[in-house]
Amino acid sequence: MSQPGFAVSFVAGGVAGASVDLILFPLDTIKTRLQSPQGFKKAGGFRGIYAGVPSTAIGSFPNAAVFFLTYEYVKWFLHTASSSCWMPTQHMLAASAGEVVACLIRVPSEVVKQRAQVSASSRTFQIFSNILHEEGIQGLYRGYKSTVLREIPFSLVQFPLWEYLKALWSWRQDHAVDSWQSAVCGAFAGGFAAVITTPLDVAKTRIMLAKAGSSTAGGKVLSALQGVWRSQGPTGLFAGVLPRAASISLGGFIFLGAYEQAHSMLSRVHRKSR
């Protein structure tokens, strides 16, 4: 892939990420409140389901743009023949690298967003200011490790499965998949990955919502999971699994389909302008 190709991936990824995050924001709010330690009703129930949306609006484009830029670059850097048995490993490494870099942008946005979602009466900027005042920059990155530990396993499942399903579908019809077909593959891959990584998502939510100075705020994923297990049992580890799976499955459809469509359109525009 040439350098202009990386620019196309950057813009296409940003457009896709912003689209899916804003469209599915209410489902994300419901999922966060289901996972909140104070319970769904006390966290706001169905009220103010767009609380925290400014944080998402600001962070979505650069987060997804950086992810796909890194993902496509690492795939290019590790390029092997399409028939190689190492192709899934290439996709796994590319997705993992993309998540590590993207989380530098995603985590501060996620911390502010989730605290706004369980405290709908507080404004997003007020929450952002309070975090900086009480915890400093470090507070904005609380849960970075748990987010990476959630996103990497998720991507290790989602992206190789997405690429495999696209390749299989392409082979069956003897031509490259269309953007809507890529979207269908993305929906299945995302929903499957969402279900099996829900416990890690619960741990990440608890760490981000914990009060400063508490044991959970220390950011240890295993401790957070043990706390959930002791207080709620195995069902607590899968709190919010249905809205999470639904939103990510639908999100995978929109996100990866929109990425393919935007990438195709931008590539055609670039070729015509040369």
Side-chain angles (χ1 to χ4, degrees):
M1 183 184 295
S2 64
Q3 189 171 358
F6 293 137
V8 167
S9 296
F10 181 86
V11 176
V15 170
S19 299
V20 69
D21 284 348
L22 294 176
I23 291 172
L24 300 182
F25 191 85
L27 278 176
D28 183 72
T29 299
I30 292 170
K31 182 269 299 182
T32 297
R33 291 174 179 176
L34 285 169
Q35 295 177 349
S36 173
Q38 66 258 49
F40 180 70
K41 289 186 178 180
K42 289 185 178 180
F46 290 103
R47 302 187 310 275
I49 57 175
Y50 279 96
V53 74
S55 176
T56 295
I58 293 171
S60 288
F61 185 97
N63 163 43
V66 167
F67 171 83
F68 270 109
L69 176 63
T70 307
Y71 178 71
E72 296 292 354
Y73 176 80
V74 174
K75 280 206 308 181
W76 168 80
F77 183 77
L78 299 174
H79 178 69
T80 57
S82 59
S83 60
S84 172
C85 61
W86 294 105
M87 189 66 74
T89 303
Q90 173 188 328
H91 295 150
M92 289 179 180
L93 291 173
S96 299
E99 293 295 356
V100 171
V101 176
C103 280
L104 294 172
I105 299 172
R106 182 182 306 153
V107 170
S109 174
E110 187 88 350
V111 169
V112 175
K113 178 199 72 175
Q114 290 202 321
R115 294 193 188 184
Q117 287 174 327
V118 299
S119 181
S121 60
S122 300
R123 294 182 177 180
T124 300
F125 183 74
Q126 179 185 353
I127 292 172
F128 175 75
S129 299
N130 288 343
I131 293 172
L132 285 179
H133 177 71
E134 296 173 6
E135 304 176 60
I137 295 293
Q138 185 177 355
L140 291 174
Y141 281 93
R142 184 200 293 180
Y144 177 81
K145 291 181 181 179
S146 61
T147 303
V148 170
L149 288 174
R150 178 199 67 175
E151 295 297 351
I152 287 182
F154 179 86
S155 293
L156 289 178
V157 176
Q158 183 190 31
F159 279 87
L161 183 56
W162 175 56
E163 300 277 11
Y164 171 76
L165 292 173
K166 286 195 302 175
L168 179 62
W169 202 334
S170 177
W171 174 75
R172 290 288 297 270
Q173 64 186 11
D174 201 28
H175 63 79
V177 295
D178 298 323
S179 57
W180 72 267
Q181 294 171 325
S182 176
V184 171
C185 295
F188 181 83
F192 181 74
V195 170
I196 64 177
T197 57
T198 293
L200 294 173
D201 186 59
V202 172
K204 186 269 305 179
T205 298
R206 292 298 182 92
I207 290 170
M208 286 186 171
L209 295 180
K211 294 182 179 180
S214 66
S215 58
T216 305
K220 294 183 179 180
V221 175
L222 183 58
S223 296
L225 290 173
Q226 289 173 338
V228 174
W229 179 274
R230 285 194 297 268
S231 62
Q232 296 177 272
T235 56
L237 296 177
F238 286 90
V241 64
L242 291 180
R244 172 172 162 78
S247 64
I248 292 181
S249 182
L250 182 55
F253 182 88
I254 298 171
F255 182 51
L256 297 174
Y259 173 73
E260 292 279 9
Q261 182 66 26
H263 194 284
S264 177
M265 291 175 59
L266 290 169
S267 295
R268 286 198 298 269
V269 170
H270 173 69
R271 286 194 296 267
K272 289 179 180 179
S273 65
R274 293 180 67 176

